[in-house]
Amino acid sequence: MKIGIIGAGQLGQMLALSGLPYALQFRFLDSSAAAPGAQVAPIVVGAFDDIEALRRLARDVDLVTYEFENVPVAALHEMAATRPCFPPVDALRVSQDRILEKELFGRLGIPTPPYRAVDSLADLEAAVAALGLPCVLKTRRLGYDGRGQRVLRRRADVGPAWEALGSAPLILEGFVRFEREVSIVGARSTRGELRAYPIVTNTHRDGILRVTLAPTREARLQRAAEAHLRRVAEHFDYAGVLTIEFFVHEGRLVANEMAPRVHNSGHWTIEGAVTSQFENHLRAILGMPLGDTRPVGHAAMVNYIGTMPERDRILAVPGAHHHDYGKAPRAGRKLGHCTVVAPTAAGRDELLKRIVRLVPR
Ligand code: AMP
């Protein structure tokens, strides 16, 4: 069985690595021959909307998946016409547009921040008047890791934010004064089996995930997050791993966004859960029984952003798992991560403190 993965970044690399024990073979499509996935499987080099490259990939594989959210939907339809393609293209289409995503959440009874579509400066003025300050202006499409967004705190921020982002369709969201951010990662298989991991607590800086703590043991939030995940997954007749990110506001979940793919906030599952999100994604799209999603202890995952820490100092921390994606350093770029797992939350927090001291900020 050969699987095509669109995108050969670290998510693709970790997906392919997790499939090797199943004797699965992989081919990637990526615009760079030197992307992290190259360490694990051959890359068909081409742009994500290069129909010829997509056809070359499709001819060579039995099934297609993707690790990258900004794959053009038309390109994926082209693939799906000749090879099974999971997660469903429609889930990708909705996740690419913050308005479609929030409309879907609304239809499924999943709370979101208040929002307005913004296509002109007049729209923006009206939306700011309706939602009040502070609020967050974001591009509807193609935003990630905090790119394409501005927090508006004062009236005077409106003009410059419009100048910076106004060339693309936008969304204005009410600013959520959240207590915490959490996410849920779960897998649904082609047979309809669904398993969710425990919710995790995420800390972001400059819109980029820095630290994930797992598990977050709050039965009420877990039940709510799982119910939301199930509703979205069933809506799409989903297969693969699905992630939903939430704000916790006044003790309740408010959905921020979904990702139809394995997710950075699920990296802890490699060493911290019985079955990793990557293995479960493959099991899900291949119709295998899903693996146990229970945690094996208390885990912390720390991202390496922009600069790598000294490997051997990280490895001197007992039980530290160091992941180097093999990417060239660049400000704001995810270069690797570290996971520690301990029998207790206090033990995990001790290890985390030591790791955080070693990771350049
Ligand atoms: P996003 O790209 O939508 O995931 O946003 C990146 C980060 O910006 C989130 O993880 C939050 O920390 C922050 N953020 C985004 N939207 C809002 C909002 N409506 N209210 C408060 N903080 C937000």
Side-chain angles (χ1 to χ4, degrees), residues 304-327:
Y304 304 149
I305 312 284
T307 314
M308 287 294 286
E310 279 182 53
R311 183 194 59 201
D312 291 1
R313 295 185 71 193
I314 294 280
L315 294 180
V317 176
H321 299 278
H322 176 75
H323 295 250
D324 181 343
Y325 308 147
K327 290 157 81 172

Side-chain angles (χ1 to χ4, degrees), residues 98 136 138 149 173-176 178 181 204 247 256-257:
R98 292 181 188 273
V136 188
K138 303 179 178 178
Q149 50 183 283
E173 299 178 7
F175 188 90
V176 181
F178 54 83
E181 293 186 82
H204 297 83
F247 305 116
N256 177 24
E257 59 181 354

Side-chain angles (χ1 to χ4, degrees), residues 70-73 92-100 138-144 147-148 168-171:
N70 294 335
V71 184
V73 165
L92 180 79
R93 183 182 65 80
V94 170
S95 76
Q96 286 180 345
D97 184 321
R98 292 181 188 273
I99 300 264
L100 296 184
K138 303 179 178 178
T139 53
R140 272 178 75 161
R141 303 172 54 82
L142 303 177
Y144 70 103
R147 287 175 220 203
L170 303 173
I171 177 173

Side-chain angles (χ1 to χ4, degrees), residues 2-178:
K2 203 186 285 179
I3 297 176
I5 304 179
I6 304 179
Q10 62 268 18
L11 300 176
Q13 183 195 49
M14 289 185 268
L15 261 180
L17 270 173
S18 75
L20 298 185
Y22 289 102
L24 297 172
Q25 295 186 6
F26 296 90
R27 289 284 179 281
F28 292 103
L29 174 80
D30 201 284
S31 56
S32 163
Q39 295 179 32
V40 191
I43 298 185
V44 173
V45 178
F48 295 115
D49 59 354
D50 175 345
I51 296 296
E52 211 17 72
L54 286 161
R55 285 194 185 128
R56 247 184 301 141
L57 178 72
R59 270 200 299 275
D60 200 24
V61 300
D62 303 296
L63 186 148
V64 174
T65 187
Y66 51 91
E67 59 105 81
F68 176 70
E69 236 159 296
N70 294 335
V71 184
V73 165
L76 217 57
H77 270 304
E78 164 80 25
M79 302 289 274
T82 60
R83 291 287 182 275
C85 181
F86 301 112
V89 181
D90 204 41
L92 180 79
R93 183 182 65 80
V94 170
S95 76
Q96 286 180 345
D97 184 321
R98 292 181 188 273
I99 300 264
L100 296 184
E101 196 172 68
K102 285 190 170 57
E103 284 173 355
L104 176 71
F105 288 151
R107 281 203 299 281
L108 298 178
I110 303 172
T112 66
Y115 65 94
R116 296 280 188 283
V118 170
D119 293 308
S120 66
L121 183 54
D123 284 353
L124 179 57
E125 304 273 4
V128 171
L131 301 182
L133 292 165
C135 48
V136 188
L137 187 64
K138 303 179 178 178
T139 53
R140 272 178 75 161
R141 303 172 54 82
L142 303 177
Y144 70 103
D145 284 350
R147 287 175 220 203
Q149 50 183 283
R150 287 285 183 101
V151 178
L152 311 187
R153 296 186 188 283
R154 291 170 292 271
R155 292 274 325 147
D157 295 336
V158 172
W162 174 255
E163 284 297 309
L165 301 177
S167 56
L170 303 173
I171 177 173
L172 188 76
E173 299 178 7
F175 188 90
V176 181
R177 288 190 175 80
F178 54 83

Side-chain angles (χ1 to χ4, degrees), residues 111-326:
T112 66
Y115 65 94
R116 296 280 188 283
V118 170
D119 293 308
S120 66
L121 183 54
D123 284 353
L124 179 57
E125 304 273 4
V128 171
L131 301 182
L133 292 165
C135 48
V136 188
L137 187 64
K138 303 179 178 178
T139 53
R140 272 178 75 161
R141 303 172 54 82
L142 303 177
Y144 70 103
D145 284 350
R147 287 175 220 203
Q149 50 183 283
R150 287 285 183 101
V151 178
L152 311 187
R153 296 186 188 283
R154 291 170 292 271
R155 292 274 325 147
D157 295 336
V158 172
W162 174 255
E163 284 297 309
L165 301 177
S167 56
L170 303 173
I171 177 173
L172 188 76
E173 299 178 7
F175 188 90
V176 181
R177 288 190 175 80
F178 54 83
E179 289 103 59
R180 261 147 350 100
E181 293 186 82
V182 300
S183 59
I184 188 160
V185 173
R188 184 175 187 270
S189 79
T190 53
R191 305 180 189 183
E193 183 187 3
L194 189 140
R195 285 189 185 226
Y197 290 92
I199 54 171
V200 299
T201 300
N202 301 316
T203 311
H204 297 83
R205 201 170 65 242
D206 304 327
I208 305 177
L209 180 65
R210 303 290 157 155
V211 176
T212 294
L213 298 181
T216 302
R217 289 203 201 281
E218 285 181 66
R220 195 177 48 80
L221 291 184
Q222 180 74 30
R223 273 197 305 275
E226 276 185 35
H228 295 335
L229 184 86
R230 179 176 292 279
R231 246 174 268 138
V232 174
E234 287 177 355
H235 169 82
F236 290 114
D237 192 16
Y238 198 88
V241 160
L242 171 68
T243 306
I244 309 180
E245 296 182 75
F246 300 97
F247 305 116
V248 180
H249 180 243
E250 296 177 351
R252 298 186 56 235
L253 296 178
V254 178
N256 177 24
E257 59 181 354
M258 62 178 246
R261 55 169 172 79
V262 288
H263 195 259
N264 195 171
S265 70
H267 289 1
W268 67 276
T269 60
I270 297 176
E271 296 92 1
V274 177
T275 315
S276 82
Q277 63 165 344
F278 301 101
E279 183 177 338
N280 261 338
H281 180 74
L282 296 175
R283 291 192 193 203
I285 64 178
L286 293 167
M288 299 180 196
L290 294 179
D292 193 336
T293 49
R294 273 176 300 184
V296 297
H298 292 262
M301 189 283 315
V302 181
N303 268 341
Y304 304 149
I305 312 284
T307 314
M308 287 294 286
E310 279 182 53
R311 183 194 59 201
D312 291 1
R313 295 185 71 193
I314 294 280
L315 294 180
V317 176
H321 299 278
H322 176 75
H323 295 250
D324 181 343
Y325 308 147

